[in-house]
Amino acid sequence: MEKRYAVILAAGKGTRMKSKLYKVLHPVAGKPMVEHIIERVIETKPEQIVTIVGHGAEKVKAQLGERSEYALQAEQLGTGHAVVQAAEFLKGKKGTTLVISGDTPLLTSQTLDNLFDYHQGKKASATILTAHAEHPAGYGRIIRDHVGIVEKIVEQKDATLEEARIQEINTGTYCFDNQALFDALEKIGTNNAQGEYYLTDIIEIMKNEDKTVAAYQTEDFEESIGVNDRIALAEANKIMRQRINKMHMINGVSFIDPAATYIDSGVEIGHDTIIEPGVQLQGKTVIGSDCVIGAHSKIVDSVIEDNVEIKSSVVEESVVRKHADVGPYAHLRPKADIGERAHIGNFVEIKKATIGEDTKVGHLTYVGDATLGKNSNIGCGVVFVNYDGKNKFHTNIGDHVFIGSSTNLIAPVTLEDNTVTAAGSTITQDVKEGDLAIARARQVNKEGYASRLPF
């Protein structure tokens, strides 16, 4: 197979986004747009990838890392000028070069492979990826002659009224014979409305030199969407979510309302899991089989094992093990590890704590910096007091421990197996195995005193 190369255009600031964040770093389904692009490009197995960076260069490099080489476009003089910056890496090499924009996150690797194959099959010097647009305003138009052969690409600002009516549009993605590409780049000028070096001018240059120019039209216009503003960003997110949800449904996941479910690219979900409306699954989250993720739950970078139920809760960077249940309205903060068959009830907050198998933390409780054993019960309103204003301290709870309601556990403290605390206690000392701890003021009743109070 002929060698493949790729040039990713990621130098633009994206002024229409009106954002401090550089355009190609805006997320679609949880990943920066340029991350989607490089993942799809890598799937086409290129020999070399060169990313053209400019605005936000260091941040783009940090995102893509060693998966690409980089060329700097210090001054933004157009797409043709951008590709010229890759000459030091690619000029003179034999093969086919894909040129793709970093703001087209909906393109698939299948479409890119089809473009490569079509280009090579036609033995073309250039092949344009095109699409049919019902409303083509803003896109470059594909100009063909009377027998359908591509003549040139006309940008929206340079189009005549007749050319503007054409519905076949340029997606901004191309395959080029690599040597022909860099030869033609030396001949482009700035005779256009923007005064820039248009990559599209290469098509007319190649046509004038009797080189073969082809066009491969994708069947799905949505793939061609370029994100230049927040409206297009929202549309790209919507389409990507639809794709992701469809994939999960095909793989055996049930969605009560797919249109109201928000799942990031890369999230894994096991079969026979039910996802209720309003759920957000973000980052590197993995959901097991036979789970129920209740309405309006948000799960971020977490592992939810098989047969777990999450009811209207927030889970961040945590693990919930088999047959456990969480919520409603619980909050698992980073480094919470919920054991098998454990119960985390309503309005419970867990942070940096391990909850043992079959242990119950029923309601209105805070557990922070703690290790809890098996088969223990934490009563209502218990607070693990782990912070003295400067340092965090750890609490250890053994197996078969019963913590009475409204107990304050002042860390560092250890309660051994089979211990009990009386409701309302403030525990400041370790409790030995089998002991009952009571730490509260003795009640005193003042006879008849209530009638003397002014209310």
Side-chain angles (χ1 to χ4, degrees):
M1 185 176 72
E2 188 176 47
K3 288 184 176 180
R4 295 178 175 183
Y5 309 99
V7 176
I8 300 173
L9 305 181
K13 184 178 182 180
T15 54
R16 280 183 281 172
M17 299 294 286
K18 294 181 171 61
S19 174
K20 296 183 290 295
L21 184 65
Y22 300 105
K23 181 170 71 169
V24 298
L25 296 178
H26 278 266
V28 171
K31 289 182 180 178
M33 289 190 282
V34 73
E35 179 68 27
H36 286 285
I37 292 297
I38 199 165
E39 287 179 356
R40 301 296 81 77
V41 168
I42 287 171
E43 288 168 0
T44 68
K45 298 180 172 57
E47 293 276 325
Q48 194 172 6
I49 300 172
V50 180
T51 300
I52 311 303
V53 294
H55 293 288
E58 294 308 314
K59 291 184 177 180
V60 174
K61 289 180 182 180
Q63 177 64 44
L64 302 185
E66 296 181 356
R67 293 173 292 175
S68 175
E69 296 175 284
Y70 302 94
L72 178 66
Q73 186 187 21
E75 191 176 2
Q76 312 298 295
L77 299 176
T79 51
H81 179 258
V83 177
V84 166
Q85 311 312 308
E88 62 176 298
F89 298 99
L90 299 178
K91 187 176 181 179
K93 293 185 177 181
K94 292 183 178 181
T96 299
T97 296
L98 173 73
V99 177
I100 186 170
S101 175
D103 63 2
T104 53
L106 299 173
L107 283 167
T108 65
S109 57
Q110 182 63 60
T111 293
L112 298 181
D113 271 327
N114 291 345
L115 177 63
F116 270 116
D117 293 341
Y118 188 87
H119 172 81
Q120 291 165 2
K122 292 292 185 180
K123 295 182 170 56
S125 293
T127 301
I128 310 157
L129 180 64
T130 73
H132 177 84
E134 289 297 326
H135 305 286
Y139 291 93
R141 309 303 202 278
I142 304 300
I143 311 300
R144 296 178 183 265
D145 65 15
H146 65 285
V147 294
I149 295 174
V150 175
E151 287 189 331
K152 61 181 178 178
I153 302 171
V154 175
E155 297 297 327
Q156 171 78 34
K157 293 179 181 179
D158 301 311
T160 66
L161 288 176
E162 183 179 353
E163 290 168 339
R165 295 190 187 99
I166 294 171
Q167 291 182 298
E168 186 179 14
I169 58 98
N170 174 26
T171 67
T173 300
Y174 314 85
C175 274
F176 294 102
D177 174 89
N178 187 66
Q179 292 174 319
L181 168 64
F182 286 99
D183 287 344
L185 283 169
E186 296 177 357
K187 302 169 186 175
I188 60 174
T190 59
N191 185 26
N192 52 64
Q194 292 291 94
E196 294 182 347
Y197 295 94
Y198 286 161
L199 182 62
T200 50
D201 288 347
I202 287 177
I203 303 304
E204 195 167 1
I205 291 169
M206 289 183 173
K207 290 291 294 183
N208 291 338
E209 295 176 351
D210 294 324
K211 291 183 168 66
T212 300
V213 175
Y216 172 76
Q217 185 169 319
T218 177
E219 295 180 359
D220 185 359
F221 168 74
E222 290 180 342
E223 285 195 39
S224 70
I225 291 175
V227 177
N228 292 308
D229 56 28
R230 305 289 182 139
I231 298 168
L233 181 65
E235 183 66 15
N237 269 288
K238 178 182 176 181
I239 293 166
M240 187 68 80
R241 287 198 305 267
Q242 290 172 342
R243 285 185 190 175
I244 291 168
N245 292 354
K246 181 179 179 180
M247 175 195 71
H248 287 299
M249 286 186 282
I250 290 170
N251 291 337
V253 179
S254 291
F255 289 77
I256 304 303
D257 185 357
T261 307
Y262 310 92
I263 300 179
D264 281 359
S265 174
V267 168
E268 300 176 26
I269 310 175
H271 59 81
D272 289 320
T273 283
I274 298 171
I275 310 293
E276 294 184 352
V279 167
Q280 300 177 61
L281 304 180
Q282 299 179 350
K284 298 178 181 179
T285 292
V286 178
I287 309 289
S289 299
D290 300 291
C291 295
V292 177
I293 309 300
H296 306 293
S297 293
K298 181 177 179 179
I299 303 177
V300 183
D301 292 327
S302 297
V303 175
I304 310 298
E305 295 186 353
D306 298 344
N307 295 284
V308 166
E309 183 173 6
I310 308 290
K311 292 173 280 216
S312 303
S313 296
V314 176
V315 181
E316 304 172 276
E317 299 175 31
S318 296
V319 177
V320 182
R321 303 193 183 276
K322 295 177 182 179
H323 300 281
D325 68 279
V326 176
Y329 313 119
H331 186 184
L332 305 188
R333 291 169 56 192
K335 297 184 180 179
D337 187 333
I338 310 304
E340 292 187 18
R341 298 176 303 280
H343 166 66
I344 307 299
N346 51 299
F347 302 106
V348 171
E349 182 176 349
I350 311 287
K351 171 254 175 188
K352 198 179 179 181
T354 299
I355 310 299
E357 297 175 5
D358 299 295
T359 286
K360 296 176 176 61
V361 186
H363 36 222
L364 299 164
T365 288
Y366 170 70
V367 182
D369 295 277
T371 302
L372 281 65
K374 302 176 184 178
N375 289 290
S376 291
N377 186 88
I378 311 301
C380 177
V382 170
V383 177
F384 285 63
V385 185
N386 60 326
Y387 183 47
D388 67 359
K390 182 177 181 181
N391 298 302
K392 299 287 182 72
F393 298 95
H394 200 81
T395 296
N396 291 294
I397 305 293
D399 299 339
H400 306 283
V401 172
F402 186 94
I403 306 297
S405 295
S406 298
T407 296
N408 293 313
L409 300 167
I410 312 299
V413 68
T414 296
L415 283 72
E416 297 181 3
D417 297 346
N418 302 296
T419 53
V420 176
T421 69
S425 293
T426 296
I427 305 299
T428 59
Q429 299 177 19
D430 293 348
V431 182
K432 299 297 184 182
E433 183 171 359
D435 288 356
L436 164 66
I438 305 174
R440 61 192 183 203
R442 184 176 298 277
Q443 180 174 326
V444 176
N445 294 344
K446 299 292 186 178
E447 185 176 347
Y449 196 84
S451 61
R452 296 166 55 187
L453 296 175
F455 51 81

